[in-house]
Amino acid sequence: MKRREKKQIVILPGEPNDANREYLPEAIRGSDMVVNENGNNSQVYPARLKEYRGYLADGLEDVWYEYVPSTYRPDQKTPLVVSMHGGLMTGWGQAVYTSWTLVAEREGFIVVFPNAHANRMWMIECDPEKMDLMIRGMPGVPPLNPPMGSVEEYHDVKAVAALIALMQEKYRIDEGRIFMQGMSMGNAMTSQFARYLGHLLAGAAGSGCPTSLNLLFDREGNPVNRGGAMDIWQSRLEWDRVPPHYGADDHDTVLGNCLYWNRINGCRGLPQIRIEREDNYAFWSGDRADTVLRDVKNRDHGQTFDDAQWVWDYLFSGTRKEKDGTITHEKSILERTGDSFAIAVTAGESRAWVSGRVEEMGEKAILWQKLKYHGLNGDSIVRGEYFCVPLIFLADIFKAEYREEKEGKMVFLNMPDGKTLQFARGSIGCVIDNRVESMLCEALYRNRKLFVSLEWFCTRICGLRISSCEQVLYVTDHDAQISRYMAWLLKDILKGTALPEQETGRA
């Protein structure tokens, strides 16, 4: 794919409305107002965003918004992104709550933001009674008219397909580089479109609101899919919750969505895992297409303002669907690679994640409580919990010379940088270069092996960074804050229960 010359991204200053408590303030439209909250953060209304109305399907008038970058040239094929708003939002709302227009201006692709036809709610597969209960009583929202017939006959689905065709008539769109992305209910709409009319897309992405497993799999557990393989991106937010009417928990639903697309895309190996600050990535490579999970620390329902950039830079920028339907990849702007150095352990498991592979430690990791005893009646207070692992495992990972005495109750390490260390059973003290120093907790002795705190060893001895979540400790050489869904994925991998058919290669 020929790269265009990139324009400089410029974020315009806006007029903050910090007192806003509306879901989508109409005053934003055409103004320089910006609003910020944990789910959505807006930009100034883009000057090049244009509203259009027309009859796309069923003789009904629909509304959509087009963003054509200033660098667009009709003599060059141009990628197209269709971005779907959340429930009770609008196309222009999706434009100001994302960075799609900024990235489009930088990269030279076109973005279209359609409106749902009725009630600002997309026509999606659902339990109409439960959906009606959810929106009943919301100001300005009429009662739900549930869609009838097959998904391909839903008006919104037909209208979006017709809108893609219209964009291809109006502009010189690269037919192999048409993508869709959505937020919340727009994510559910994107998932639905991809599963049924995916032949029109090279890739699909979404944030918030994973699809119910009851819609993804039949009663025998087989994927329900008429759209075929495509590159898939799924952004999840740590404090987001699966809708209760799904009848499944967050863990099963989020990781089950990954399993579904991994099966469709032929992903069989372990993912590459990369954590940068609060962004947690799992990159799966498949025989037919690739799958990406992005989990964002300390965020709730919505989409991060920069989500569009990461979707484009990591995935869409290098993706193409050929005329025969196969997905091909060229070099994306950002390479989908895991952390070059990382260790992850979870309590009660003997396997550890080490720089993209699973290794045996020989003994189970122990989540050890450091106690403070006080009073005359033997009371105690927990003063810290630490993941303790065998020193012989640490010696192997960090290439240290290991020597033990007294049946393993005393261990000596010579580190590659010249540090000399000595540890002893039951002592919180250790010897570093012939000086006494306290550790975070005492050395433990189990099955003739001496254990120490992984947190202490990696930070004090090796100068590394740590974070923990859901009883998983993640260690790497840079700022990396492990989030809930990534912790669950790593825990399942270390337990041997994560996407088992992917690890064994079963179809």
Side-chain angles (χ1 to χ4, degrees):
M1 283 168 272
K2 186 178 179 180
R3 304 292 189 196
R4 302 172 187 242
E5 183 177 349
K6 296 181 187 295
K7 288 196 66 177
Q8 180 67 40
I9 287 180
V10 176
I11 298 177
L12 298 177
E15 186 67 32
N17 182 357
D18 297 331
N20 169 67
R21 290 297 180 266
E22 295 179 47
Y23 182 59
L24 178 62
E26 289 296 325
I28 290 181
R29 187 173 181 175
S31 77
D32 65 351
M33 179 190 295
V34 290
V35 296
N36 294 278
E37 47 101 353
N38 193 251
N40 296 304
N41 305 276
S42 75
Q43 61 164 313
V44 170
Y45 197 94
R48 298 184 66 84
L49 187 67
K50 305 300 181 185
E51 178 183 290
Y52 293 88
R53 295 174 178 269
Y55 296 87
L56 299 171
D58 303 321
L60 302 174
E61 186 180 48
D62 280 290
V63 178
W64 65 92
Y65 299 81
E66 298 175 13
Y67 186 89
V68 180
S70 59
T71 56
Y72 172 71
R73 292 176 52 182
D75 63 334
Q76 294 184 2
K77 285 189 173 183
T78 302
L80 173 68
V81 173
V82 184
S83 189
M84 318 297 278
H85 65 75
L88 303 180
M89 287 182 62
T90 61
W92 67 261
Q94 177 72 351
V96 301
Y97 278 164
T98 71
S99 55
W100 275 119
T101 60
L102 299 172
V103 182
E105 192 66 29
R106 186 191 75 188
E107 298 295 326
F109 58 82
I110 292 172
V111 194
V112 60
F113 303 91
N115 276 5
H117 180 75
N119 306 343
R120 296 189 175 186
M121 305 283 280
W122 295 106
M123 301 172 70
I124 58 173
E125 297 174 286
C126 63
D127 182 328
E129 181 179 345
K130 292 176 179 176
M131 184 64 71
D132 186 53
L133 287 173
M134 183 177 73
I135 68 172
R136 187 178 299 165
M138 290 184 176
V141 181
L144 179 72
N145 293 316
M148 304 297 290
S150 66
V151 168
E152 291 90 343
E153 293 303 310
Y154 293 178
H155 172 75
D156 282 344
V157 172
K158 289 195 292 183
V160 171
L163 181 58
I164 291 173
L166 177 62
M167 294 298 100
Q168 290 177 291
E169 294 175 7
K170 189 174 181 179
Y171 306 104
R172 193 173 183 200
I173 300 299
D174 188 335
E175 65 279 2
R177 303 198 64 210
I178 299 173
F179 308 97
M180 187 174 289
Q181 180 271 344
M183 190 276 284
S184 188
M185 194 180 195
N187 184 15
M189 177 63 177
T190 298
S191 169
Q192 175 177 266
F193 197 95
R195 288 179 284 115
Y196 288 89
L197 273 72
H199 64 279
L200 299 175
L201 306 175
S207 180
C209 196
T211 300
S212 170
L213 300 184
N214 293 329
L215 300 176
L216 299 181
F217 300 95
D218 62 22
R219 294 180 182 276
E220 286 71 44
N222 301 308
V224 178
N225 184 282
R226 296 203 284 270
M230 71 191 72
D231 278 357
I232 292 293
W233 177 289
Q234 299 196 335
S235 286
R236 302 294 175 239
L237 301 314
E238 183 179 41
W239 299 119
D240 198 6
R241 292 296 180 267
V242 169
H245 65 270
Y246 281 12
D249 64 19
D250 297 342
H251 169 279
D252 291 349
T253 302
V254 169
L255 297 187
N257 272 248
C258 294
L259 169 59
Y260 171 86
W261 282 109
N262 282 348
R263 286 182 175 177
I264 299 299
N265 290 341
C267 303
R268 294 185 172 85
L270 291 172
Q272 295 198 59
I273 291 178
R274 184 183 194 89
I275 304 181
E276 295 181 331
R277 298 170 298 279
E278 294 186 337
D279 288 324
N280 292 233
Y281 299 99
F283 302 119
W284 284 277
S285 179
D287 297 333
R288 295 181 288 276
D290 295 348
T291 307
V292 177
L293 170 66
R294 177 186 183 229
D295 179 23
V296 187
K297 185 78 174 173
N298 196 34
R299 289 298 299 258
D300 55 28
H301 189 70
Q303 59 194 339
T304 65
F305 186 70
D306 59 1
D307 191 65
Q309 175 177 266
W310 305 129
V311 169
W312 183 264
D313 287 0
Y314 272 118
L315 194 64
F316 288 177
S317 61
T319 298
R320 170 176 295 280
K321 176 168 278 187
E322 304 295 345
K323 291 183 178 180
D324 63 0
T326 60
I327 299 295
T328 58
H329 296 107
E330 294 188 8
K331 187 176 181 180
S332 55
I333 294 173
L334 295 178
E335 191 174 0
R336 296 191 296 280
T337 57
D339 286 330
S340 58
F341 175 84
I343 301 172
V345 300
T346 188
E349 297 299 328
S350 63
R351 305 203 304 172
W353 177 268
V354 181
S355 302
R357 63 188 186 277
V358 175
E359 291 196 0
E360 276 289 340
M361 295 188 291
E363 299 290 340
K364 295 178 180 179
I366 300 169
L367 186 58
W368 186 249
Q369 294 183 334
K370 181 171 69 173
L371 301 179
K372 165 65 175 178
Y373 296 99
H374 66 102
L376 300 177
N377 58 2
D379 288 346
S380 62
I381 299 175
V382 176
R383 290 301 193 192
E385 288 189 330
Y386 306 103
F387 291 85
C388 294
V389 300
L391 273 166
I392 194 169
F393 165 72
L394 294 174
D396 180 59
I397 294 299
F398 293 105
K399 311 301 182 187
E401 180 185 334
Y402 176 92
R403 179 170 60 89
E404 63 179 47
E405 295 181 5
K406 301 184 181 298
E407 299 180 323
K409 298 173 187 176
M410 183 184 296
V411 169
F412 299 82
L413 294 183
N414 292 327
M415 301 296 291
D417 64 359
K419 288 191 186 76
T420 60
L421 314 174
Q422 187 255 314
F423 307 89
R425 174 187 180 182
S427 178
I428 201 169
C430 66
V431 180
I432 303 176
D433 293 336
N434 206 31
R435 299 176 67 89
V436 177
E437 186 169 320
S438 291
M439 299 184 290
L440 293 174
C441 67
E442 66 271 28
L444 309 178
Y445 186 66
R446 301 289 187 273
N447 298 325
R448 296 175 59 89
K449 297 289 190 300
L450 203 60
F451 290 61
V452 299
S453 159
L454 182 60
E455 297 95 326
W456 175 85
F457 192 93
C458 288
T459 56
R460 171 62 182 89
I461 302 303
C462 303
L464 298 171
R465 309 287 287 272
I466 63 169
S467 66
S468 63
C469 183
E470 298 287 335
Q471 292 199 347
V472 174
L473 180 70
Y474 193 81
V475 180
T476 191
D477 54 6
H478 58 272
D479 182 17
Q481 301 297 315
I482 187 170
S483 191
R484 189 168 69 129
Y485 296 114
M486 190 59 64
W488 284 348
L489 175 60
L490 277 166
K491 187 182 294 187
D492 288 352
I493 288 173
L494 299 181
K495 288 181 176 179
T497 59
L499 316 183
E501 69 277 20
Q502 308 308 322
E503 290 193 61
T504 60
R506 294 196 298 269

